[in-house]
Amino acid sequence: MTFLLAGLASTALGGEVRFTGEGHAQNPTWSQDGRHLAFEVNNYSDRTDLHVSTVAGDIAQDAKKVNLPGSGPFGGGQVLVNPAWHPDGITVFEGSNAGGQFRLYFFAPGQGGANEMITTAEVPGDITFPALNRDGSLMAFVADRTGNGDINVRDSNTTKIEIKKESESPEMFPQFADDGSKILFTRKQNNSEDVFELSMASGQESPVAGGAHDQTRPVYASGGRVLFFDNSRVSSEWDLATVAGPGATKKILAKNVRLPARSRPAVSPDGKWVALTYEDPTMSSAVYLMATDGSNTVKIDTAYTACGEPAVGFQNGKPYLAYTALPQSGADFRKLFVTDLAGKI
Amino acid sequence: MSRTPKTLLLALLVTASTFNAGSAWACDSAEQLRLSDEIQGLAQKNAWPGVERKYGDILKTKCDIASSIQLIAADSALNLGKTFERWERLAAANAVESTPEVAEAMAGIEAAYGRVHVRGDPRRRAPLLRDTMPFAPDQRKSIEWAQTVVEGTGSFKGMLPVGEYKVADKTFTVTAGAEDFMVVQIGKASKNPDAATREPRDGDQPLINWIGPVAMVGAGFFGSAAPGSPIIKTKATDDELITGPSAKGAIGVVCPNIDNTNTTDPDRVRSSEPGAEACLPTIRQPGSVGMFQTPNIDITLGGEIGLTYRKPEMGVVATVGYRRMFGNSLNQITVFGGWMVRPGDFRFTLGPTWGVVVGGGTGYADWVDEGQGSEYRDTRQKTAQYVGYGMGGGLAGSAGWALLDFGSLQGIVDLHGHWMRDNHRNYQGFGLRLGIVPKVKRFEE
């Protein structure tokens, strides 16, 4: 791989996003307007909390922990993960209390606590993987009411919920195209996870990427391109791969990347860039921004180590990078940082 | 026991009883505890309409309500879309026990909702509209609740998510944070939402709000005092209460100047002595029918029509009633038509009545043989049977309380009174009835 440096690589002046409690920060997710950052804090013991910070420029306010309704501020055993943002500044996420079912909840910063998004009367069982289209008119999620994970879609205006894709194998990771006309998703069958695309209009599915082992966590980029993580090359290593469209030839953008705990490839909101980090310790103090067609790469150096979990957001048209890292080698927990990307992409 | 401890014990007992009496009137704590348990149980089942009902009941206990109950009630309001009620209950909880979570929830409401009072006409209920529903389910429920209230009453006072709305011919924008209610006064709703410039048509609601039967049965008391003064029969055609084959002319006389030698009984021979004071014949009148000596059974049948929509709902009622008096064999048949008002579960009626009393009894009015010489007095005065009728108009009214629901009807307990008068005497009575009346169709918030 080659790097084309856009200007001098410089040490990023990252701002830490502080939060209460202890654990590893992971899966930062920008709101569509770039003013809020939701992220998980996993103590790798009994809970994973969701925190939301309000961001002005690269200055992040101390994050506020989100609690499930009825759990109280010290609710133990909570797992709140996978935030997705609606354009109205509302985040939808999966939540579970102490080993209970996973349900979808919503939270709006500054408007009180979290509340249930979909009732058990509407959809029983576990519901996970919330995903919204650009204008928020549609929300996809995975429900196991038929016994396997199926792709469901909820119309935000009518609240009508429809099963869009079901099969005997579990479907996962739904992701809308910006206009909501298509959904990417994966299906695990025969111990292999493959990527598919579903037409909302016809209900027809098209294979996008497959092969040995797993192709997972697909996301749309500009021009209809699809990016995903792929371990077909070496089962113990993950690569960042792309196809120009369903059925197109797969291209490896980056090898042996650091697989995020839960996130998809960190594609920028305009679909032109993807942020990634590497497993290689010699490269782990930087975050790399790559054009989604692989034509360009920018290195963002940081003052920290073991960088991971990158996410790119836009605030008033200006790009910002969120990422996690160990403040120093040997630190107990990964922290979350925000840095300004102006002039770099 | 010495006097001092006795006195002290007495003082303590009086104080305790006074305290208990005062507390009993101020707070039904046993009921409050029971309802609190029920509220918690219903909340665990997510039975929010039940929680609302029990919360309404617990407010009536006039007890201080625990913060935990207020928070459950706030959750209930959240699940039902009653945002303003949710805010109020959070505020009540905060007043009992201030916590950051409650304060945050209240601040969250203030940040996303505004206070609105849509003042409409219950007879003309225009829909509350919003182009695009919010994504957040709680905001959506809030709008749906307001739409339900407007549909049911024509008006709404509460909180709505920020945004633009339309009701009837008014478009208004709700903004967050204002402490006062934004008043939206709407006029008559046009059935054609596009005809903004046309004159609105008459009412979305029908002329008749409700119509249904009235049926009652009960018991009461009936009385009719004999006229206090003799009623002189001035011409042969004067009405007499008593008619029939046993009635022959005037039965009694009244003599202004008592002179035993000159009194005559018109039933016998009138004195022709010049200068003799002639006695004047009186018409027959039954004696007094004592009110509490004459119980009666009362049957009423009819119907009522509700004509208004604004509270308290009003309309008209028309009934036919029958009373049978015991002790005497008197019967009264009345027709009643009047105004009816139905505030809450109460029912009040008032209006004119017209009736006829028919039957018989024993004993005439005391003055029937007034002034008669003892040898001429009609010994039948106190024992004579009479048969006859009287008819006339009057006034009747009632006050009732509808206690039970039977679908479109309600069971009612009714206290009523009535008065009528024929040419010579009054007839009045009162009683208690049980019956059924139509249930007023109301939107239950």
Side-chain angles (χ1 to χ4, degrees):
Chain A
M1 67 185 83
T2 58
F3 297 102
L4 179 65
L5 299 180
L8 296 174
S10 59
T11 302
L13 299 176
E16 183 185 347
V17 183
R18 297 189 305 179
F19 55 87
T20 56
E22 283 190 336
H24 294 283
Q26 61 187 38
N27 195 16
T29 309
W30 289 95
S31 62
Q32 289 194 24
D33 61 2
R35 296 187 185 282
H36 297 100
L37 191 59
F39 60 97
E40 302 164 15
V41 176
N42 189 343
N43 70 356
Y44 283 94
S45 173
D46 63 336
R47 60 189 295 135
T48 302
D49 292 322
L50 186 70
H51 294 249
V52 177
S53 172
T54 301
V55 183
D58 59 358
I59 308 298
Q61 294 180 11
D62 290 353
K64 183 179 169 51
K65 192 173 75 166
V66 180
N67 289 307
L68 293 181
S71 63
F74 305 109
Q78 286 188 142
V79 176
L80 284 68
V81 296
N82 254 341
W85 286 93
H86 185 274
D88 287 351
I90 298 169
T91 180
V92 181
F93 60 92
E94 299 171 29
S96 168
N97 260 317
Q101 285 181 330
F102 272 91
R103 307 291 304 173
L104 293 187
Y105 297 87
F106 70 96
F107 170 78
Q111 294 184 20
N115 288 292
E116 193 173 35
M117 183 75 207
I118 296 175
T119 64
T120 50
E122 293 175 283
V123 180
D126 288 303
I127 49 178
T128 53
F129 291 107
L132 290 140
N133 67 340
R134 176 68 65 180
D135 66 5
S137 60
L138 298 170
M139 183 178 76
F141 58 92
V142 174
D144 70 349
R145 50 180 160 169
T146 62
N148 304 307
D150 301 319
I151 306 294
N152 288 241
V153 173
R154 176 183 184 270
D155 185 310
S156 301
N157 202 39
T158 65
T159 70
K160 184 182 170 188
I161 296 173
E162 198 179 343
I163 296 177
K164 278 297 186 182
K165 176 52 63 179
E166 63 175 314
S167 70
E168 291 184 356
S169 303
E171 280 85 25
M172 295 170 288
F173 294 107
Q175 177 77 28
F176 275 107
D178 276 354
D179 63 3
S181 64
K182 297 172 290 189
I183 298 179
L184 287 174
F185 66 96
T186 65
R187 179 182 292 129
K188 185 86 170 185
Q189 52 191 7
N190 302 322
N191 290 319
S192 173
E193 188 175 346
D194 300 318
V195 180
F196 298 86
E197 185 180 68
L198 174 71
S199 165
M200 287 285 289
S202 67
Q204 293 289 105
E205 70 175 52
S206 309
V208 173
H213 302 293
D214 294 336
Q215 291 74 46
T216 188
R217 308 188 197 175
V219 64
Y220 283 105
S222 63
R225 181 171 292 278
V226 176
L227 274 67
F228 53 93
F229 293 115
D230 185 320
N231 72 345
S232 60
R233 181 179 57 85
V234 178
S235 63
S236 60
E237 292 183 2
W238 289 93
D239 301 332
L240 178 64
T242 182
V243 292
T249 302
K250 181 174 68 179
K251 175 182 174 183
I252 302 297
L253 293 175
K255 291 182 181 175
N256 199 19
V257 300
R258 186 186 191 99
L259 184 70
R262 208 181 316 279
S263 310
R264 303 168 192 266
V267 175
S268 61
D270 60 6
K272 295 180 181 176
W273 296 89
V274 58
L276 58 125
T277 56
Y278 288 97
E279 286 287 356
D280 185 345
T282 64
M283 301 172 74
S284 70
S285 292
V287 178
Y288 296 83
L289 291 168
M290 181 182 293
T292 50
D293 59 3
S295 60
N296 193 8
T297 301
V298 175
K299 181 184 179 187
I300 308 296
D301 281 310
T302 77
Y304 313 111
T305 186
C307 295
E309 310 276 337
V312 179
F314 278 87
Q315 190 183 123
N316 295 325
K318 294 176 62 178
Y320 293 88
L321 173 69
Y323 64 98
T324 66
L326 295 176
Q328 63 278 337
S329 181
D332 288 336
F333 296 112
R334 305 176 67 78
K335 302 290 186 186
L336 178 65
F337 301 92
V338 172
T339 189
D340 190 341
L341 292 178
K344 298 183 174 63
I345 62 171
Chain B
M1 187 184 289
S2 67
R3 182 169 296 181
T4 303
K6 272 187 185 174
T7 306
L8 181 61
L9 177 62
L10 182 61
L12 285 172
L13 287 171
V14 169
T15 304
S17 65
T18 305
F19 176 79
N20 283 334
S23 299
W25 284 111
C27 170
D28 187 345
S29 54
E31 180 69 356
Q32 186 233 13
L33 275 172
R34 184 188 71 82
L35 288 169
S36 296
D37 285 344
E38 286 194 28
I39 286 172
Q40 289 169 2
L42 288 166
Q44 284 174 354
K45 300 176 204 169
N46 293 333
W48 303 116
V51 171
E52 287 296 292
R53 282 194 299 275
K54 296 302 177 184
Y55 183 71
D57 291 342
I58 206 172
L59 290 175
K60 294 174 189 172
T61 65
K62 302 197 187 306
C63 297
D64 291 333
I65 300 173
S67 170
S68 59
I69 298 300
Q70 294 286 10
L71 291 176
I72 291 175
D75 279 346
S76 171
L78 169 67
N79 278 279
L80 296 173
K82 297 179 175 182
T83 306
F84 183 59
E85 289 82 349
R86 180 185 178 218
W87 185 91
E88 286 183 312
R89 296 166 192 180
L90 288 172
N94 203 46
V96 174
E97 182 184 350
S98 182
T99 64
E101 290 73 29
V102 171
E104 180 193 5
M106 291 177 68
I109 295 173
E110 294 283 0
Y113 294 80
R115 290 168 173 79
V116 177
H117 185 183
V118 175
R119 283 193 195 148
D121 187 332
R123 187 180 284 277
R124 298 171 176 83
R125 303 171 194 174
L128 177 66
L129 303 171
R130 175 166 163 149
D131 279 342
T132 308
M133 293 296 266
F135 175 73
D138 57 341
Q139 294 188 13
R140 188 185 188 95
K141 276 187 197 171
S142 185
I143 295 171
E144 289 172 345
W145 171 247
Q147 289 174 329
T148 302
V149 174
V150 171
E151 183 183 11
T153 67
S155 301
F156 170 76
K157 187 174 184 181
M159 297 182 86
L160 284 171
V162 296
E164 190 173 276
Y165 298 82
K166 185 176 178 190
V167 60
D169 56 348
K170 291 284 176 67
T171 300
F172 61 96
T173 301
V174 174
T175 56
E179 286 189 5
D180 296 328
F181 283 84
M182 176 177 68
V183 176
V184 180
Q185 183 72 48
I186 58 176
K188 299 177 182 180
S190 168
K191 284 186 179 180
N192 183 351
D194 296 325
T197 57
R198 286 170 49 185
E199 284 296 314
R201 300 181 201 178
D202 285 337
D204 288 333
Q205 304 302 314
L207 175 66
I208 294 176
N209 188 351
W210 76 89
I211 183 170
V214 173
M216 299 200 193
V217 63
F221 293 96
F222 176 91
S224 177
S229 301
I231 301 168
I232 307 300
K233 185 180 173 89
T234 56
K235 54 183 184 296
T237 56
D238 265 356
D239 291 339
E240 294 193 37
L241 175 65
I242 304 301
T243 59
S246 63
K248 298 291 184 184
I251 191 172
V253 297
V254 60
C255 304
N257 298 304
I258 296 173
D259 178 353
N260 287 342
T261 61
N262 286 327
T263 55
T264 57
D265 183 341
D267 286 335
R268 298 174 188 174
V269 177
R270 184 182 292 277
S271 168
S272 60
E273 291 283 332
E277 292 286 339
C279 291
L280 301 174
T282 64
I283 68 170
R284 305 165 193 265
Q285 272 288 317
S288 292
V289 178
M291 175 79 80
F292 294 102
Q293 296 167 349
T294 317
N296 65 265
I297 186 170
D298 185 309
I299 299 171
T300 301
L301 294 171
E304 70 177 40
I305 300 174
L307 297 173
T308 70
Y309 289 82
R310 198 180 293 278
K311 292 179 182 177
E313 295 87 347
M314 292 185 280
V316 293
V317 56
T319 59
V320 174
Y322 168 75
R323 295 185 188 93
R324 165 75 181 182
M325 271 62 78
F326 302 105
N328 296 290
S329 59
L330 288 176
N331 305 274
Q332 184 185 37
I333 300 169
T334 57
V335 291
F336 167 74
W339 196 246
M340 165 268 304
V341 59
R342 300 282 300 265
D345 286 333
F346 296 99
R347 177 177 182 268
F348 302 100
T349 66
L350 183 68
T353 184
W354 187 92
V356 58
V357 175
V358 62
T362 303
Y364 297 121
D366 288 343
W367 41 259
V368 167
D369 277 337
E370 185 176 276
Q372 275 274 35
S374 60
E375 64 273 28
Y376 297 111
R377 279 195 191 150
D378 196 324
T379 58
R380 296 175 296 163
Q381 180 196 38
K382 299 296 184 189
T383 60
Q385 301 286 315
Y386 60 81
V387 175
Y389 65 89
M391 64 178 75
L395 196 67
S398 68
W401 184 19
L403 298 171
L404 301 170
D405 284 347
F406 301 107
S408 61
L409 300 173
Q410 283 187 296
I412 191 169
V413 176
D414 174 277
L415 185 67
H416 69 99
H418 54 90
W419 165 83
M420 66 173 259
R421 179 174 177 83
D422 65 13
N423 288 340
H424 304 298
R425 64 195 293 153
N426 298 304
Y427 306 84
Q428 64 280 323
F430 67 94
L432 191 70
R433 303 180 293 194
L434 303 176
I436 53 169
V437 294
K439 182 173 181 179
V440 178
K441 292 178 285 184
R442 290 194 182 102
F443 174 78
E444 299 291 336
E445 293 197 36

